[in-house]
Amino acid sequence: MDVIIIGAGAAGLMCALTAAQRGRKVLVIDHANKAGKKILMSGGGRCNFTNLYTEPSNFISNNPHFCKSALARYTQWDFLEMVQRHQIAYHEKKLGQLFCDNKASDILEMLLKECADAGATIQLNTPVTRIQANDSGFTLQCNKQTLQCKSLVIASGGLSIPTLGATGYGYQVAEQFGHRILPTRAGLVPFTITDPQLKEFCSALSGTSINDCVVQCNGQSFKEDLLFTHRGLSGPVILQISSYWQPGDSIEIDLLSDRDASVWLLEQQAQHSNLELKTVLSECFTRKMAQLLCEHWFSNTPLKQYNSKQLSAIGEQLNHWRLTPSGTEGYRTAEVTLGGIDTQEVSSKTMQSQKQDNLYFIGEVLDVSGHLGGFNFQWAWASGHAAGLVV
Ligand SMILES: Cc1cc2nc3c(=O)[nH]c(=O)nc-3n(C[C@H](O)[C@H](O)[C@H](O)COP(=O)(O)OP(=O)(O)OC[C@H]3O[C@@H](n4cnc5c(N)ncnc54)[C@H](O)[C@@H]3O)c2cc1C
């Protein structure tokens, strides 16, 4: 075999089809019973397969320049060309996020067809127990089978969602060949809250979402929708900021990002002084949320009974709600793993290890994580393609 790829996920399949199209003999092996399980689960079953506005700044890495070369050589437009060639119906949901009109399986079937047409073989239910480098490449021990290849590509992904087949195997292989692993943690993940009062507030609002909240943490900010859950906070804006959050950090939420809430409340007081605060707040929030805000944070009396200092304090709280999440939901639900194989020891052009010839790392196993919005798949396509051109 010319090339063995461990991991039949997004990056592995892209690498396989690219290498096989060059005439390389390619075998993809995966311990799972199905290829591309995460693709099937992605984007709520519709796969947010890329983003029209992909830029290196959409990625988090200890080495922010690393992703640039691969992203420039295989762009969102290149992937879109393949999607269009396969006549897959898609749409832009918002913010450049492209989703399938029908099912995520359209994307997986496209990749599997490209692999089959190019002659790449996929072997499932194949856990690797041992890898050895030798003069002609690598020998892999898989149960009773011994496999031989010239180039070995590690595309086994990160730790998020073990029930979808995620393992730390890629890190183990990297360490075997002397690579450094940067600390890993869950990213694009909901926050949990244990403070009893705050938890009760969130839980009572479970299922309620607020459009266009601005959330800030550690100098980063995102503006998207926020969702209350039984255990804490979720929604796109929370998933985005979670990738910048470290345990113990507080976050700041602007629940009314379209206005200066203090000024607005003072205006309301001038115009409708007999209205209760709850009634005024229900102009911007659901009635239930307005009620709970009054119960948990403010009192509920007619606006005329507040002095301007009190109204300003209420507005301040709505625009600058500071809280400290207790933790995250962890790898059980995280969309991505932050950290991973240190990219300082990998070629940004070919994804080849600088420690071991003919060994390659692609996709999420590397210390490159995208923002929410199709960026993680674009990284899988781009890094898979970069390696596929040279293996
Ligand atoms: C629920 C969910 C929804 C998501 N939605 C989106 C989205 O809409 N858009 C987006 O851009 N990103 C999304 N992501 C992130 C995206 O799925 C990943 O970033 C991407 O799949 C990473 O590709 P990969 O090929 O590196 O790894 P994976 O796709 O995880 O593939 C790794 C493969 O390696 C195999 N493997 C693992 N260990 C071993 C082993 N020891 N031996 C053999 N095989 C092994 C696994 O079975 C798997 O098939 C989502 C993630 C999740 C969890």
Side-chain angles (χ1 to χ4, degrees):
M1 203 51 69
D2 291 327
V3 185
I4 291 182
I5 300 168
I6 301 180
L13 294 176
M14 176 56 88
C15 183
L17 70 89
T18 309
Q21 283 167 358
R22 288 172 45 238
R24 308 293 281 159
K25 234 171 148 263
V26 179
L27 172 67
V28 187
I29 56 177
D30 201 299
H31 70 152
N33 59 359
K34 204 171 176 148
K37 284 191 183 185
K38 271 196 195 164
I39 299 176
L40 293 175
M41 289 292 289
S42 66
R46 291 239 163 96
C47 187
N48 178 192
F49 57 81
T50 193
N51 193 295
L52 293 176
Y53 309 121
T54 303
E55 293 285 343
S57 59
N58 297 117
F59 296 85
I60 303 165
S61 172
N62 206 37
N63 177 12
H65 299 296
F66 179 79
C67 63
K68 290 181 179 172
S69 170
L71 290 173
R73 284 178 301 127
Y74 191 85
T75 67
Q76 57 274 38
W77 311 111
D78 294 316
F79 191 75
L80 201 49
E81 183 278 319
M82 183 165 28
V83 169
Q84 287 167 343
R85 187 156 39 80
H86 284 256
Q87 297 179 340
I88 295 172
Y90 66 91
H91 61 278
E92 179 185 348
K93 200 167 169 190
K94 60 175 181 176
L95 306 168
Q97 301 166 2
L98 299 190
F99 285 76
C100 296
D101 283 358
N102 300 314
K103 292 192 290 309
S105 57
D106 288 352
I107 297 294
L108 180 58
E109 281 161 20
M110 172 187 81
L111 295 168
L112 293 176
K113 180 161 190 329
E114 290 274 333
C115 282
D117 289 352
T121 311
I122 298 169
Q123 187 180 311
L124 301 169
N125 301 305
T126 306
V128 184
T129 49
R130 193 158 170 222
I131 297 175
Q132 263 181 306
N134 49 47
D135 291 346
S136 53
F138 300 88
T139 305
L140 278 67
Q141 206 58 51
C142 313
N143 290 339
K144 292 172 195 142
Q145 204 181 11
T146 303
L147 299 168
Q148 193 75 39
C149 61
K150 290 181 195 138
S151 296
L152 178 63
V153 183
I154 308 301
S156 53
L159 295 166
S160 35
I161 319 220
T163 51
L164 292 179
T167 69
Y169 186 66
Y171 309 132
Q172 198 181 310
V173 177
E175 275 178 334
Q176 179 189 332
F177 290 98
H179 279 265
R180 215 176 16 241
I181 312 298
L182 298 175
T184 54
R185 65 193 162 89
L188 300 181
V189 63
F191 284 136
T192 53
I193 284 169
T194 48
D195 171 78
Q197 273 187 325
L198 201 50
K199 190 175 175 194
E200 193 193 317
F201 178 70
C202 292
S203 178
L205 286 169
S206 173
T208 302
S209 77
I210 307 182
N211 295 341
D212 291 336
C213 284
V214 175
V215 181
Q216 298 184 52
C217 180
N218 288 322
Q220 279 290 326
S221 82
F222 291 94
K223 182 179 186 175
E224 281 191 60
D225 300 348
L226 177 142
L227 177 72
F228 290 96
T229 72
H230 279 297
R231 292 162 55 85
L233 296 170
S234 186
V237 77
I238 293 297
L239 301 188
Q240 296 281 34
I241 209 71
S242 72
S243 295
Y244 291 89
W245 180 85
Q246 300 275 0
D249 288 342
S250 61
I251 61 171
E252 186 179 300
I253 303 178
D254 185 348
L255 293 169
L256 277 180
S257 68
D258 65 341
R259 68 193 76 184
D260 180 326
S262 305
V263 171
W264 173 68
L265 285 170
L266 288 166
E267 281 166 6
Q268 294 299 307
Q269 187 186 42
Q271 290 161 20
H272 318 283
S273 63
N274 288 324
L275 283 185
E276 288 184 336
L277 179 62
K278 183 176 75 179
T279 312
V280 173
L281 290 179
S282 61
E283 207 184 282
C284 344
F285 303 110
T286 61
R287 283 166 70 88
K288 187 170 180 192
M289 171 130 186
Q291 163 112 23
L292 282 164
L293 282 172
C294 289
E295 276 172 23
H296 282 258
W297 291 3
F298 322 121
S299 55
N300 181 42
T301 48
L303 291 185
K304 64 183 176 200
Q305 292 184 16
Y306 294 96
N307 62 35
S308 56
K309 207 170 153 200
Q310 288 167 324
L311 278 187
S312 290
I314 294 171
E316 178 74 11
Q317 170 81 343
L318 293 171
N319 283 138
H320 305 277
W321 175 26
R322 282 189 83 81
L323 69 141
T324 306
S326 320
T328 73
E329 292 285 2
Y331 293 121
R332 191 176 59 82
T333 62
E335 275 200 20
V336 84
T337 302
L338 300 161
I341 298 171
D342 189 347
T343 58
Q344 302 280 3
E345 299 171 336
V346 176
S347 158
S348 63
K349 194 152 182 241
T350 63
M351 306 292 138
Q352 186 171 192
S353 159
Q354 289 169 0
K355 301 270 177 185
Q356 173 67 46
D357 283 351
N358 302 316
L359 177 66
Y360 298 80
F361 299 102
I362 56 174
E364 199 180 311
V365 75
L366 287 164
D367 169 37
V368 177
S369 312
H371 289 167
L372 189 76
F375 302 106
N376 282 299
F377 278 137
Q378 188 56 39
W379 171 246
W381 316 137
S383 57
H385 183 80
L389 289 178
V390 293
V391 284

